[in-house]
């Protein structure tokens, strides 16, 4: 029963945040799995791989959504070649 409602809650969470934030949260949640792998099994990622993982997690922690613009930017329409 719990597995049935999991996709629905994912869509609800996705509607509350931007696509970038939703993806970032998903990637950051994988960190728990990797830490569990390192703690439980003896065959896991190399120290170089773990270093790059830490770098990615650090970048994700420093992520900040861009602020909204005060005024919308006026765009001019692209020229068309309809006369040729």
């Amino acid at each position: 029963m719990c597995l049935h409602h999991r996709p629905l809650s994912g869509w609800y969470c996705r509607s509350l945040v931007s696509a970038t934030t939703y993806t970032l949260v998903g990637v950051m949640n994988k960190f728990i799995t990797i830490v569990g792998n390192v703690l439980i099994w003896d065959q896991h990622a190399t120290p170089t791989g773990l270093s790059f993982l830490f770098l990615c997690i650090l970048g994700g922690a420093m992520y900040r959504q861009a602020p909204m613009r005060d005024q919308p930017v006026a765009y001019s329409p692209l020229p068309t070649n309809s006369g040729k």
Side-chain angles (χ1 to χ4, degrees), residues 14 17-28 60 63-66:
R14 188 173 177 203
V17 296
S18 70
T20 304
T21 302
Y22 183 79
T23 302
L24 183 66
V25 168
V27 171
M28 297 284 287
Y63 170 78
R64 225 179 256 208
Q65 188 169 347

Side-chain angles (χ1 to χ4, degrees), residues 1-83:
M1 186 70 163
C2 180
L3 293 176
H4 173 70
H5 294 288
R6 186 173 156 225
L8 297 176
S9 64
W11 281 107
Y12 175 72
C13 292
R14 188 173 177 203
S15 70
L16 297 176
V17 296
S18 70
T20 304
T21 302
Y22 183 79
T23 302
L24 183 66
V25 168
V27 171
M28 297 284 287
N29 283 332
K30 292 177 184 176
F31 182 72
I32 296 170
T33 304
I34 294 170
V35 167
N37 185 8
V38 170
L39 295 175
I40 295 172
W41 290 285
D42 58 349
Q43 294 181 350
H44 50 76
T46 63
T48 304
L50 292 174
S51 299
F52 281 112
L53 172 67
F54 179 72
L55 183 66
C56 292
I57 296 298
L58 183 64
M62 292 174 29
Y63 170 78
R64 225 179 256 208
Q65 188 169 347
M68 298 296 288
R69 294 181 178 159
D70 292 334
Q71 296 292 330
V73 177
Y75 293 101
S76 60
L78 294 173
T80 60
N81 295 330
S82 60

